[in-house]
Amino acid sequence: MSRNFIDAIAHRRSYYALKNESPISDEAIQQLVERAVLHVPSAFNSQSTRIVVLLGDKHRHLWEITKDTLRAIVPAEAFTATEAKINTSFESGYGTILFYEDQEPVKALQEQFPTYAPNFPIWSEHTNAMHQLTIWTALDDAGLAASVQHYNPIIDEAVAQAFDIPVNWTLRAQMPFGTATGQPGEKTFLPIEQRVRILK
């Protein structure tokens, strides 16, 4: 179901109950992601965001890596709940999108424009966040539920080894997605006048 832009943003939510189904094909998922990567803006047109889409066994392997990593550091009495959450909210889904930032173009811009050097890493995070929101909203509009997770940096090394990730890519977020099996939680809002000012 296609919505106008603001309605699509408003409809996007975090879903924590997923199943391994997709209303669209793998090719359509690829096209959706590729279009977002082509058209989401970046500071100085750095195009520093990198995306890895994991489907099938690769998707499940990511969450097994995550559980193995957490099992080694989470107290045993707490790990049962952690494992259950991963099993039903993330690994149970259809796929996961990994969001990376390539540090090479960031460093190149720092060298090219030294006056702005401290800002380029910050602007890099901005473009990654824009990619996350755009892809998340597009997935939702296509009938897929998703959430954004941050198990980085504790999983970074194992994930890089498992999926042959270049050393200069920095993991920023994981987005598990699939068909929703439940409703999102209630969303609360601060008074809008605390967040928006119109000055004339």
Side-chain angles (χ1 to χ4, degrees), residues 97-115:
I97 299 171
L98 304 179
F99 292 83
Y100 284 89
E101 278 300 297
D102 187 345
Q103 300 307 310
E104 285 193 356
V106 177
K107 291 176 182 177
L109 284 168
Q110 287 179 304
E111 293 172 359
Q112 186 176 359
F113 301 100
T115 302

Side-chain angles (χ1 to χ4, degrees), residues 48-49 99-103 124 127-128 168-170 172:
S48 55
T49 298
F99 292 83
Y100 284 89
E101 278 300 297
D102 187 345
Q103 300 307 310
S124 167
T127 191
N128 200 276
N168 48 295
W169 291 17
T170 303
R172 286 296 179 235

